[in-house]
Amino acid sequence: MTESKVVLVTGAAKRIGASIARTFHSNGYKILIHAKNSMLEAKNLCSEFNRVKKNTAVALCADFDSQSETIELANTALSYFGRIDVLINNASMFYPTPLIEAKPTDWDSLFNSNVKAAFFLSQALYPELTKRHGSIINIVDAHVDKPLQNHVLYNMAKSALKSMTKTLSLEMAPQVRVNGISPGAILWPEDLEQKHNEETQSIQKEILDSIPMKRIGSTEDISNLAYFFAENGQYITGQIIKVDGGRSLS
């Protein structure tokens, strides 16, 4: 019997991360779900997976502001199922930092979650991924090429992640493939989802009008591409694919 492959997904308790976990689990992978503040949701997601097939999912907590917890996550994740075939760096802090208001703590928070942890997890798991001829998939952002106003630190961190993706694809070749996905408007921001007023509707209409396909995407648009990179894109590395309905062209 073929041993199941294993994927570690950071920031996988909700939204895009949870969708990625579901897609991989439904295709036979065992799932390592990382979370920080959403451990209840992470454990519920694991329970959902383990009801479908026993002992195929586990929730792991780590604060990426802590270097020791980041490395401990890599070691614990590897020991749990005895292998890791795919690392998906999805975890991300996202909030505005206008130039005159940005603080060193904002720099640390946004860079640690968006790129530093991704780098050191990739470093720590490089020997295992090499052994498995595995794959790293980084969730970047369509705004790296069209910066989001008042989000200078977030834009910088995601741009660094894009550069890291391309650089590591060279350093890790030919054993490990490294690719990125740049989502556009996939889900409405949580603050917009919670509001139902004219201002919110106006913002949503403005966004939809800027998208050639005239709709936002679905989380499955991201998770299906992630699975493609892991399983089918065997001659693809160093690529960052925009999934934005053509918005970056407008």
Side-chain angles (χ1 to χ4, degrees):
M1 183 176 179
T2 304
E3 185 180 0
S4 297
K5 291 184 179 180
V6 178
V7 59
L8 168 59
V9 189
T10 67
K14 300 187 293 183
R15 295 166 70 85
I16 287 175
S19 177
I20 291 171
R22 283 194 175 93
T23 295
F24 276 77
H25 189 263
S26 67
N27 282 282
Y29 271 73
K30 292 181 179 178
I31 313 295
L32 297 155
I33 297 173
H34 158 264
K36 176 189 172 184
N37 297 322
S38 304
M39 281 303 293
L40 177 60
E41 292 89 341
K43 289 177 180 178
N44 288 339
L45 189 58
C46 283
S47 296
E48 173 189 324
F49 294 158
N50 288 325
R51 282 194 297 270
V52 175
K53 189 174 182 181
K54 290 182 179 179
N55 302 318
T56 54
V58 62
L60 302 170
C61 183
D63 181 354
F64 288 157
D65 286 329
S66 166
Q67 180 68 3
S68 62
E69 288 193 30
T70 302
I71 300 306
E72 184 180 355
L73 172 66
N75 294 332
T76 302
L78 181 54
S79 67
Y80 199 88
F81 290 123
R83 65 183 290 168
I84 292 179
D85 301 84
V86 182
L87 167 64
I88 301 180
N89 292 304
N90 169 73
S92 172
M93 292 290 290
F94 172 80
Y95 58 88
T97 53
L99 175 61
I100 60 172
E101 298 176 13
K103 302 182 291 294
T105 51
D106 296 321
W107 177 290
D108 291 340
S109 176
L110 288 163
F111 271 80
N112 288 347
S113 64
N114 283 290
V115 65
K116 183 179 178 182
F119 176 83
F120 283 103
L121 287 173
S122 299
Q123 181 190 66
L125 294 173
Y126 181 30
E128 172 66 12
L129 292 169
T130 297
K131 176 183 176 182
R132 304 294 177 185
H133 291 274
S135 175
I136 296 173
I137 300 156
N138 296 320
I139 307 302
V140 189
D141 193 304
H143 285 296
V144 297
D145 297 316
K146 195 173 183 179
L148 184 62
Q149 190 171 1
N150 293 325
H151 288 71
V152 58
L153 294 180
Y154 174 80
N155 293 334
M156 290 167 63
K158 286 297 191 183
S159 294
L161 183 62
K162 177 181 178 179
S163 178
M164 187 190 93
T165 301
K166 291 178 173 291
T167 304
L168 291 189
S169 72
L170 296 176
E171 291 203 22
M172 292 183 167
Q175 294 90 354
V176 181
R177 294 175 297 105
V178 187
N179 291 291
I181 300 172
S182 282
I186 300 300
L187 292 168
W188 296 118
E190 290 181 292
D191 59 338
L192 283 183
E193 286 183 337
Q194 294 165 3
K195 298 176 183 178
H196 299 282
N197 53 37
E198 290 185 8
E199 181 183 1
T200 297
Q201 292 174 356
S202 175
I203 293 172
Q204 291 176 335
K205 183 179 184 302
E206 182 180 352
I207 292 172
L208 291 175
D209 287 345
S210 71
I211 301 172
M213 294 189 72
K214 301 304 178 187
R215 61 178 177 84
I216 64 170
S218 71
T219 57
E220 289 78 12
D221 292 323
I222 306 302
S223 58
N224 289 339
L225 179 55
Y227 185 76
F228 171 83
F229 274 143
E231 284 295 314
N232 304 115
Q234 297 300 315
Y235 198 55
I236 302 174
T237 195
Q239 303 305 305
I240 292 96
I241 304 297
K242 288 188 178 70
V243 183
D244 68 349
R247 189 181 184 189
S248 56
L249 302 175
S250 61

PDB file of all heavy atoms in Angstrom, residues 6 16 25 30 44-45 54 72 79 85-86 88 96 99 103 120 122 160 175 178 186-187 196 214 232 244:
ATOM      1  N   VAL A   6       2.284  13.977   2.661  1.00  0.00           N
ATOM      2  CA  VAL A   6       1.960  14.887   3.761  1.00  0.00           C
ATOM      3  C   VAL A   6       2.226  16.325   3.329  1.00  0.00           C
ATOM      4  O   VAL A   6       3.261  16.616   2.714  1.00  0.00           O
ATOM      5  CB  VAL A   6       2.800  14.556   5.012  1.00  0.00           C
ATOM      6  CG1 VAL A   6       2.492  15.542   6.141  1.00  0.00           C
ATOM      7  CG2 VAL A   6       2.533  13.124   5.475  1.00  0.00           C
ATOM      8  N   ILE A  16      -8.507  30.930   2.842  1.00  0.00           N
ATOM      9  CA  ILE A  16      -7.761  30.267   1.780  1.00  0.00           C
ATOM     10  C   ILE A  16      -6.982  29.070   2.309  1.00  0.00           C
ATOM     11  O   ILE A  16      -6.941  28.008   1.680  1.00  0.00           O
ATOM     12  CB  ILE A  16      -6.825  31.269   1.073  1.00  0.00           C
ATOM     13  CG1 ILE A  16      -7.648  32.226   0.195  1.00  0.00           C
ATOM     14  CG2 ILE A  16      -5.785  30.537   0.227  1.00  0.00           C
ATOM     15  CD1 ILE A  16      -6.829  33.333  -0.442  1.00  0.00           C
ATOM     16  N   HIS A  25      -6.486  17.201   1.338  1.00  0.00           N
ATOM     17  CA  HIS A  25      -7.015  16.060   2.094  1.00  0.00           C
ATOM     18  C   HIS A  25      -7.954  15.224   1.227  1.00  0.00           C
ATOM     19  O   HIS A  25      -7.916  13.983   1.257  1.00  0.00           O
ATOM     20  CB  HIS A  25      -7.741  16.527   3.350  1.00  0.00           C
ATOM     21  CG  HIS A  25      -8.111  15.418   4.276  1.00  0.00           C
ATOM     22  ND1 HIS A  25      -9.374  14.845   4.295  1.00  0.00           N
ATOM     23  CD2 HIS A  25      -7.383  14.742   5.209  1.00  0.00           C
ATOM     24  CE1 HIS A  25      -9.404  13.885   5.203  1.00  0.00           C
ATOM     25  NE2 HIS A  25      -8.215  13.801   5.771  1.00  0.00           N
ATOM     26  N   LYS A  30      -2.205  13.547   3.924  1.00  0.00           N
ATOM     27  CA  LYS A  30      -2.324  13.846   5.343  1.00  0.00           C
ATOM     28  C   LYS A  30      -1.975  15.317   5.539  1.00  0.00           C
ATOM     29  O   LYS A  30      -1.115  15.855   4.829  1.00  0.00           O
ATOM     30  CB  LYS A  30      -1.401  12.947   6.163  1.00  0.00           C
ATOM     31  CG  LYS A  30      -1.821  11.479   6.147  1.00  0.00           C
ATOM     32  CD  LYS A  30      -0.888  10.612   6.992  1.00  0.00           C
ATOM     33  CE  LYS A  30      -1.348   9.164   6.981  1.00  0.00           C
ATOM     34  NZ  LYS A  30      -0.437   8.283   7.766  1.00  0.00           N
ATOM     35  N   ASN A  44     -11.117  22.140  14.866  1.00  0.00           N
ATOM     36  CA  ASN A  44     -12.393  21.732  14.258  1.00  0.00           C
ATOM     37  C   ASN A  44     -12.175  21.204  12.847  1.00  0.00           C
ATOM     38  O   ASN A  44     -12.818  20.227  12.428  1.00  0.00           O
ATOM     39  CB  ASN A  44     -13.367  22.906  14.239  1.00  0.00           C
ATOM     40  CG  ASN A  44     -13.897  23.252  15.614  1.00  0.00           C
ATOM     41  OD1 ASN A  44     -13.862  22.429  16.532  1.00  0.00           O
ATOM     42  ND2 ASN A  44     -14.396  24.470  15.774  1.00  0.00           N
ATOM     43  N   LEU A  45     -11.279  21.840  12.104  1.00  0.00           N
ATOM     44  CA  LEU A  45     -10.977  21.389  10.748  1.00  0.00           C
ATOM     45  C   LEU A  45     -10.322  20.010  10.788  1.00  0.00           C
ATOM     46  O   LEU A  45     -10.652  19.130   9.982  1.00  0.00           O
ATOM     47  CB  LEU A  45     -10.075  22.405  10.055  1.00  0.00           C
ATOM     48  CG  LEU A  45      -9.817  22.214   8.555  1.00  0.00           C
ATOM     49  CD1 LEU A  45     -11.119  22.214   7.767  1.00  0.00           C
ATOM     50  CD2 LEU A  45      -8.881  23.308   8.040  1.00  0.00           C
ATOM     51  N   LYS A  54      -9.417   8.430   9.660  1.00  0.00           N
ATOM     52  CA  LYS A  54      -8.757   8.560  10.953  1.00  0.00           C
ATOM     53  C   LYS A  54      -7.275   8.881  10.806  1.00  0.00           C
ATOM     54  O   LYS A  54      -6.594   8.406   9.904  1.00  0.00           O
ATOM     55  CB  LYS A  54      -8.912   7.270  11.759  1.00  0.00           C
ATOM     56  CG  LYS A  54     -10.328   7.007  12.256  1.00  0.00           C
ATOM     57  CD  LYS A  54     -10.373   5.730  13.101  1.00  0.00           C
ATOM     58  CE  LYS A  54     -11.783   5.477  13.622  1.00  0.00           C
ATOM     59  NZ  LYS A  54     -11.841   4.225  14.433  1.00  0.00           N
ATOM     60  N   GLU A  72      10.649  25.020  15.843  1.00  0.00           N
ATOM     61  CA  GLU A  72       9.991  23.906  16.545  1.00  0.00           C
ATOM     62  C   GLU A  72       8.825  23.370  15.719  1.00  0.00           C
ATOM     63  O   GLU A  72       8.574  22.160  15.691  1.00  0.00           O
ATOM     64  CB  GLU A  72       9.496  24.360  17.914  1.00  0.00           C
ATOM     65  CG  GLU A  72       8.879  23.245  18.745  1.00  0.00           C
ATOM     66  CD  GLU A  72       8.391  23.717  20.104  1.00  0.00           C
ATOM     67  OE1 GLU A  72       8.622  24.891  20.449  1.00  0.00           O
ATOM     68  OE2 GLU A  72       7.771  22.902  20.817  1.00  0.00           O
ATOM     69  N   SER A  79       8.062  15.204  12.585  1.00  0.00           N
ATOM     70  CA  SER A  79       8.022  14.008  13.428  1.00  0.00           C
ATOM     71  C   SER A  79       6.626  13.394  13.501  1.00  0.00           C
ATOM     72  O   SER A  79       6.488  12.204  13.781  1.00  0.00           O
ATOM     73  CB  SER A  79       8.510  14.344  14.845  1.00  0.00           C
ATOM     74  OG  SER A  79       7.602  15.218  15.504  1.00  0.00           O
ATOM     75  N   ASP A  85       6.011  16.212   2.252  1.00  0.00           N
ATOM     76  CA  ASP A  85       6.223  16.266   0.808  1.00  0.00           C
ATOM     77  C   ASP A  85       5.995  17.662   0.235  1.00  0.00           C
ATOM     78  O   ASP A  85       6.583  18.004  -0.798  1.00  0.00           O
ATOM     79  CB  ASP A  85       5.272  15.285   0.109  1.00  0.00           C
ATOM     80  CG  ASP A  85       5.480  13.861   0.568  1.00  0.00           C
ATOM     81  OD1 ASP A  85       4.912  13.486   1.624  1.00  0.00           O
ATOM     82  OD2 ASP A  85       6.203  13.118  -0.109  1.00  0.00           O
ATOM     83  N   VAL A  86       5.142  18.435   0.883  1.00  0.00           N
ATOM     84  CA  VAL A  86       4.796  19.760   0.376  1.00  0.00           C
ATOM     85  C   VAL A  86       4.722  20.738   1.541  1.00  0.00           C
ATOM     86  O   VAL A  86       4.119  20.441   2.581  1.00  0.00           O
ATOM     87  CB  VAL A  86       3.438  19.742  -0.366  1.00  0.00           C
ATOM     88  CG1 VAL A  86       3.117  21.128  -0.929  1.00  0.00           C
ATOM     89  CG2 VAL A  86       3.443  18.704  -1.496  1.00  0.00           C
ATOM     90  N   ILE A  88       3.390  24.585   2.238  1.00  0.00           N
ATOM     91  CA  ILE A  88       2.647  25.712   1.683  1.00  0.00           C
ATOM     92  C   ILE A  88       2.681  26.848   2.692  1.00  0.00           C
ATOM     93  O   ILE A  88       2.085  26.772   3.778  1.00  0.00           O
ATOM     94  CB  ILE A  88       1.201  25.316   1.330  1.00  0.00           C
ATOM     95  CG1 ILE A  88       1.214  24.180   0.308  1.00  0.00           C
ATOM     96  CG2 ILE A  88       0.425  26.531   0.801  1.00  0.00           C
ATOM     97  CD1 ILE A  88      -0.149  23.706  -0.131  1.00  0.00           C
ATOM     98  N   PRO A  96      -3.137  47.855   7.381  1.00  0.00           N
ATOM     99  CA  PRO A  96      -2.492  49.053   6.824  1.00  0.00           C
ATOM    100  C   PRO A  96      -1.399  49.604   7.726  1.00  0.00           C
ATOM    101  O   PRO A  96      -1.492  49.527   8.956  1.00  0.00           O
ATOM    102  CB  PRO A  96      -3.644  50.049   6.687  1.00  0.00           C
ATOM    103  CG  PRO A  96      -4.655  49.606   7.692  1.00  0.00           C
ATOM    104  CD  PRO A  96      -4.548  48.111   7.755  1.00  0.00           C
ATOM    105  N   LEU A  99       2.875  55.375   5.922  1.00  0.00           N
ATOM    106  CA  LEU A  99       4.282  55.699   6.161  1.00  0.00           C
ATOM    107  C   LEU A  99       4.509  56.397   7.499  1.00  0.00           C
ATOM    108  O   LEU A  99       5.376  56.007   8.279  1.00  0.00           O
ATOM    109  CB  LEU A  99       4.812  56.564   5.015  1.00  0.00           C
ATOM    110  CG  LEU A  99       6.243  57.082   5.165  1.00  0.00           C
ATOM    111  CD1 LEU A  99       7.228  55.924   5.255  1.00  0.00           C
ATOM    112  CD2 LEU A  99       6.593  58.009   4.014  1.00  0.00           C
ATOM    113  N   LYS A 103       5.396  51.454  12.622  1.00  0.00           N
ATOM    114  CA  LYS A 103       6.292  51.277  13.763  1.00  0.00           C
ATOM    115  C   LYS A 103       7.172  50.043  13.575  1.00  0.00           C
ATOM    116  O   LYS A 103       6.825  49.141  12.797  1.00  0.00           O
ATOM    117  CB  LYS A 103       5.468  51.134  15.050  1.00  0.00           C
ATOM    118  CG  LYS A 103       4.546  52.304  15.342  1.00  0.00           C
ATOM    119  CD  LYS A 103       3.802  52.127  16.648  1.00  0.00           C
ATOM    120  CE  LYS A 103       2.767  51.008  16.583  1.00  0.00           C
ATOM    121  NZ  LYS A 103       1.667  51.297  15.668  1.00  0.00           N
ATOM    122  N   PHE A 120      12.590  30.405   6.896  1.00  0.00           N
ATOM    123  CA  PHE A 120      13.232  29.486   7.832  1.00  0.00           C
ATOM    124  C   PHE A 120      12.539  28.119   7.886  1.00  0.00           C
ATOM    125  O   PHE A 120      13.183  27.111   8.173  1.00  0.00           O
ATOM    126  CB  PHE A 120      13.364  30.135   9.201  1.00  0.00           C
ATOM    127  CG  PHE A 120      14.488  31.139   9.252  1.00  0.00           C
ATOM    128  CD1 PHE A 120      14.221  32.498   9.202  1.00  0.00           C
ATOM    129  CD2 PHE A 120      15.802  30.719   9.277  1.00  0.00           C
ATOM    130  CE1 PHE A 120      15.262  33.423   9.208  1.00  0.00           C
ATOM    131  CE2 PHE A 120      16.855  31.626   9.279  1.00  0.00           C
ATOM    132  CZ  PHE A 120      16.586  32.993   9.244  1.00  0.00           C
ATOM    133  N   SER A 122      11.341  26.803   5.111  1.00  0.00           N
ATOM    134  CA  SER A 122      11.911  26.221   3.893  1.00  0.00           C
ATOM    135  C   SER A 122      13.320  25.710   4.156  1.00  0.00           C
ATOM    136  O   SER A 122      13.698  24.612   3.705  1.00  0.00           O
ATOM    137  CB  SER A 122      11.940  27.266   2.771  1.00  0.00           C
ATOM    138  OG  SER A 122      10.634  27.716   2.457  1.00  0.00           O
ATOM    139  N   ALA A 160       9.202  40.621  -0.997  1.00  0.00           N
ATOM    140  CA  ALA A 160      10.337  39.802  -0.583  1.00  0.00           C
ATOM    141  C   ALA A 160      10.017  38.318  -0.748  1.00  0.00           C
ATOM    142  O   ALA A 160      10.884  37.520  -1.139  1.00  0.00           O
ATOM    143  CB  ALA A 160      10.701  40.115   0.867  1.00  0.00           C
ATOM    144  N   GLN A 175      15.923  19.022  -7.104  1.00  0.00           N
ATOM    145  CA  GLN A 175      15.141  18.113  -6.253  1.00  0.00           C
ATOM    146  C   GLN A 175      13.827  18.724  -5.774  1.00  0.00           C
ATOM    147  O   GLN A 175      12.822  18.018  -5.631  1.00  0.00           O
ATOM    148  CB  GLN A 175      15.973  17.687  -5.037  1.00  0.00           C
ATOM    149  CG  GLN A 175      17.194  16.842  -5.361  1.00  0.00           C
ATOM    150  CD  GLN A 175      18.423  17.707  -5.614  1.00  0.00           C
ATOM    151  OE1 GLN A 175      18.333  18.942  -5.661  1.00  0.00           O
ATOM    152  NE2 GLN A 175      19.562  17.050  -5.761  1.00  0.00           N
ATOM    153  N   VAL A 178       9.860  25.183  -6.398  1.00  0.00           N
ATOM    154  CA  VAL A 178       9.349  26.290  -5.583  1.00  0.00           C
ATOM    155  C   VAL A 178       8.556  27.230  -6.480  1.00  0.00           C
ATOM    156  O   VAL A 178       9.097  27.787  -7.441  1.00  0.00           O
ATOM    157  CB  VAL A 178      10.494  27.062  -4.897  1.00  0.00           C
ATOM    158  CG1 VAL A 178       9.913  28.097  -3.926  1.00  0.00           C
ATOM    159  CG2 VAL A 178      11.439  26.113  -4.170  1.00  0.00           C
ATOM    160  N   ILE A 186     -10.193  37.364  -3.845  1.00  0.00           N
ATOM    161  CA  ILE A 186     -10.713  36.007  -3.708  1.00  0.00           C
ATOM    162  C   ILE A 186     -11.838  35.971  -2.678  1.00  0.00           C
ATOM    163  O   ILE A 186     -12.891  35.379  -2.909  1.00  0.00           O
ATOM    164  CB  ILE A 186      -9.593  35.034  -3.303  1.00  0.00           C
ATOM    165  CG1 ILE A 186      -8.479  35.025  -4.365  1.00  0.00           C
ATOM    166  CG2 ILE A 186     -10.149  33.631  -3.092  1.00  0.00           C
ATOM    167  CD1 ILE A 186      -8.937  34.597  -5.749  1.00  0.00           C
ATOM    168  N   LEU A 187     -11.612  36.574  -1.564  1.00  0.00           N
ATOM    169  CA  LEU A 187     -12.633  36.721  -0.521  1.00  0.00           C
ATOM    170  C   LEU A 187     -12.686  38.193  -0.133  1.00  0.00           C
ATOM    171  O   LEU A 187     -11.659  38.876  -0.121  1.00  0.00           O
ATOM    172  CB  LEU A 187     -12.271  35.891   0.720  1.00  0.00           C
ATOM    173  CG  LEU A 187     -12.315  34.366   0.591  1.00  0.00           C
ATOM    174  CD1 LEU A 187     -11.638  33.733   1.803  1.00  0.00           C
ATOM    175  CD2 LEU A 187     -13.752  33.883   0.490  1.00  0.00           C
ATOM    176  N   HIS A 196     -22.723  45.744   6.217  1.00  0.00           N
ATOM    177  CA  HIS A 196     -23.697  45.708   5.120  1.00  0.00           C
ATOM    178  C   HIS A 196     -24.321  47.097   4.998  1.00  0.00           C
ATOM    179  O   HIS A 196     -25.468  47.329   5.358  1.00  0.00           O
ATOM    180  CB  HIS A 196     -24.781  44.654   5.381  1.00  0.00           C
ATOM    181  CG  HIS A 196     -24.243  43.263   5.503  1.00  0.00           C
ATOM    182  ND1 HIS A 196     -23.866  42.499   4.420  1.00  0.00           N
ATOM    183  CD2 HIS A 196     -24.000  42.501   6.590  1.00  0.00           C
ATOM    184  CE1 HIS A 196     -23.436  41.318   4.828  1.00  0.00           C
ATOM    185  NE2 HIS A 196     -23.495  41.295   6.138  1.00  0.00           N
ATOM    186  N   LYS A 214     -15.493  40.416 -13.737  1.00  0.00           N
ATOM    187  CA  LYS A 214     -16.660  41.003 -13.051  1.00  0.00           C
ATOM    188  C   LYS A 214     -17.155  40.176 -11.859  1.00  0.00           C
ATOM    189  O   LYS A 214     -18.329  40.168 -11.548  1.00  0.00           O
ATOM    190  CB  LYS A 214     -17.808  41.224 -14.044  1.00  0.00           C
ATOM    191  CG  LYS A 214     -17.459  42.142 -15.197  1.00  0.00           C
ATOM    192  CD  LYS A 214     -16.962  43.495 -14.719  1.00  0.00           C
ATOM    193  CE  LYS A 214     -16.558  44.394 -15.882  1.00  0.00           C
ATOM    194  NZ  LYS A 214     -15.910  45.647 -15.414  1.00  0.00           N
ATOM    195  N   ASN A 232       1.012  18.004 -10.385  1.00  0.00           N
ATOM    196  CA  ASN A 232       1.039  17.928 -11.848  1.00  0.00           C
ATOM    197  C   ASN A 232       2.094  18.812 -12.505  1.00  0.00           C
ATOM    198  O   ASN A 232       2.472  18.558 -13.647  1.00  0.00           O
ATOM    199  CB  ASN A 232      -0.339  18.286 -12.421  1.00  0.00           C
ATOM    200  CG  ASN A 232      -1.440  17.397 -11.861  1.00  0.00           C
ATOM    201  OD1 ASN A 232      -2.332  17.864 -11.170  1.00  0.00           O
ATOM    202  ND2 ASN A 232      -1.362  16.104 -12.142  1.00  0.00           N
ATOM    203  N   ASP A 244      -6.397  36.414 -10.397  1.00  0.00           N
ATOM    204  CA  ASP A 244      -7.032  37.692 -10.065  1.00  0.00           C
ATOM    205  C   ASP A 244      -8.135  38.108 -11.032  1.00  0.00           C
ATOM    206  O   ASP A 244      -8.568  39.263 -11.032  1.00  0.00           O
ATOM    207  CB  ASP A 244      -5.985  38.799  -9.978  1.00  0.00           C
ATOM    208  CG  ASP A 244      -5.354  39.143 -11.332  1.00  0.00           C
ATOM    209  OD1 ASP A 244      -5.579  38.387 -12.315  1.00  0.00           O
ATOM    210  OD2 ASP A 244      -4.646  40.154 -11.410  1.00  0.00           O
TER     211      ASP A 244
END
